[in-house]
Structures are given as C-alpha cells and as structure tokens.
Amino acid sequence: MKQSNLFEKTEKETSKRPLADLLRPQNLNDYEGQEDLVDEKGPVRRMIEKDDLSSIIFWGPPGCGKTTLARIIAKETSSYFRQLTAVSAGKADVAKIIEEAKEIFALYEGKRTILFLDEIHRFNKAQQDFLLPFVEDGTIILIGATTENPSFEVNSALLSRMRVFVLENLKEKSIERIVKRALKYMKENSKLQVDVERQALELLVQNANGDPRSALNILELAIKLAI
C-alpha cells in the first residue's frame, strides 16, 4: 500500500466524515447484500416500487445494512426521515417527531414520516406501547432495527403491527466490491493514490467477518498508519 493522506479531500467537510459514511449507498442498485429482500421480487423492492409502505423491523448483525436500507426506503419514496437510537432516546423525543409528522402530513399533502428507531429492543414496554397508536393509524412509518430476536425483545402488540425482515452478514464477494468502490472513490475524489495488493485485499475482506463497515474502518486505519 502506497503512502497517502486520507484527509486531503476536495471538500473540507468531507474529510471529517468516516469512509463508511461517505460511501453509504443511496439507492437499491448500489446496495450490496440482502438479495432476498432487494432483488426484483424482493419484498423491500416491491414495497418501494408500489409505494406501499408498512412498519417493519430489520433484524440482523451489526454492519449488515439496516440503517442504510431504511434511508434508501425513505429516499426512494420521498418520505421525511427521522432517526433515533433507543439507547438514548425517550418518550419526549418520539412525541416531538410525532408532532412533526402530523404537521408535515398536513403541510405537504400527505407526505409520510419514517421514524427509524435503532436498537428498538432497548425501548421498555411503556415506551414501545407509546408507539402503538401512531403506528396503527399511520401517523408514522416505524422502521426498527435490532440485533436481538424481536420475538423476545419487542412487545407482541407492537410486533403484530410490523413485518420482520431478517438481514444476514454480507458475503466476501460483496465486501470486496465495496472495498474496491472505496479505493476508486478515494482516487477520484482526493489526492489519494492507493494500491492494495491482492493478498492484502483478501485478508482485509476475510477479517471483516461479513461486516462491510468493519472492512472500510480497517482500510481507513491502514491508510492512516501508512502516512
């Protein structure tokens, strides 16, 4: 790997964003993995194409694309997107978004609001119950993400109003494509001239353990250490 400066970007603010965030896919065509959900007959693609959204839960390991897929759904359906993490958010945060959703629906001729709730299993029963009426009447489209089995961690009343989609770790071929895309991006959008030997690329992909975010973080660290 040749020495390079990861932070010499064409835009100053871009230099402060992690590589994994810079390369987050913006549409289904660039999205890697989860073919059962996003291919031509996949339920998520069909949901988007028919513009027929329902509240859902993405259950899968870290780095498998849960947040990215939620953002793509919002973008492709022109929905207002808000994101919370159940680790730090509370009822007041949700209530604020509920009021925003009502205002946006009224002001923008039925524009929907997608609330992406990461780590949804961290919400307690009372917090989950608070979401129920707004999910049921469509005030918000709730997309929850969890690494835990929702059958045990999400209230049955809320779970019955949502579809559960299981996401898997990415295959090595998918991660390799993502890493190559990152190298191409760095060459085209900065002063970086990074060459990675085939053996090093294979080792990077294997050590990612199915997590593309981990692969990009390793790549980013390796470049910093090479400076």
Side-chain angles (χ1 to χ4, degrees):
M1 181 179 293
K2 296 181 180 180
Q3 289 192 353
S4 53
N5 188 346
L6 183 60
F7 299 101
E8 290 180 356
K9 301 291 185 183
T10 55
E11 298 181 7
K12 184 177 180 181
E13 63 271 17
T14 298
S15 67
K16 299 180 181 180
R17 294 172 58 191
L19 187 58
D21 186 54
L22 284 170
L23 295 174
R24 188 186 295 274
Q26 300 299 309
N27 55 67
L28 288 183
N29 292 332
D30 292 335
Y31 186 82
E32 291 284 352
Q34 319 311 330
E35 290 82 2
D36 289 345
L37 299 180
V38 303
D39 66 9
E40 292 184 358
K41 296 183 180 180
V44 172
R45 183 178 289 273
R46 292 175 65 185
M47 182 187 300
I48 291 173
E49 291 177 346
K50 292 182 178 181
D51 197 22
D52 184 19
L53 299 184
S54 60
S55 292
I56 56 182
I57 292 179
F58 289 141
W59 171 27
C64 66
K66 298 186 291 293
T67 303
T68 297
L69 195 50
R71 287 179 176 272
I72 289 174
I73 291 172
K75 184 176 181 179
E76 296 283 356
T77 59
S78 300
S79 301
Y80 182 58
F81 184 82
R82 292 298 308 271
Q83 178 173 345
L84 294 175
T85 173
V87 174
S88 57
K91 180 179 176 180
D93 300 297
V94 175
K96 181 179 179 180
I97 292 176
I98 295 298
E99 291 307 310
E100 289 178 357
K102 292 177 180 178
E103 293 177 4
I104 289 169
F105 185 86
L107 289 173
Y108 298 99
E109 300 180 349
K111 187 180 182 71
R112 294 159 299 194
T113 293
I114 290 178
L115 169 57
F116 177 69
L117 185 57
D118 199 13
E119 306 283 357
I120 189 173
H121 61 278
R122 296 293 190 94
F123 259 17
N124 60 37
K125 184 179 185 303
Q127 290 170 315
Q128 291 185 29
D129 285 344
F130 179 72
L131 290 164
L132 277 173
F134 307 109
V135 170
E136 191 164 29
D137 67 13
T139 300
I140 58 170
I141 302 297
L142 177 62
I143 300 182
T146 179
T147 56
E148 305 295 329
N149 189 333
S151 297
F152 302 115
E153 302 295 340
V154 178
N155 291 352
S156 58
L158 182 59
L159 192 62
S160 69
R161 292 163 173 80
M162 305 179 74
R163 298 177 64 183
V164 177
F165 294 130
V166 180
L167 281 70
E168 307 287 348
N169 281 322
L170 269 65
K171 298 176 182 177
E172 290 187 357
K173 288 184 178 179
S174 292
I175 295 180
E176 182 175 329
R177 284 194 293 268
I178 291 172
V179 172
K180 287 181 176 179
R181 190 180 303 161
L183 294 170
K184 180 180 179 182
Y185 172 86
M186 289 186 285
K187 288 182 178 181
E188 293 179 350
N189 295 275
S190 72
K191 298 179 182 180
L192 286 171
Q193 292 299 320
V194 180
D195 293 320
V196 179
E197 296 179 355
R198 181 65 198 177
Q199 185 176 3
L201 177 60
E202 292 176 353
L203 184 61
L204 172 62
V205 170
Q206 292 169 4
N207 285 338
N209 294 318
D211 181 347
R213 183 171 55 206
S214 175
L216 294 178
N217 288 341
I218 293 171
L219 176 64
E220 192 169 20
L221 177 59
I223 293 171
K224 290 179 182 179
L225 294 175
I227 297 173

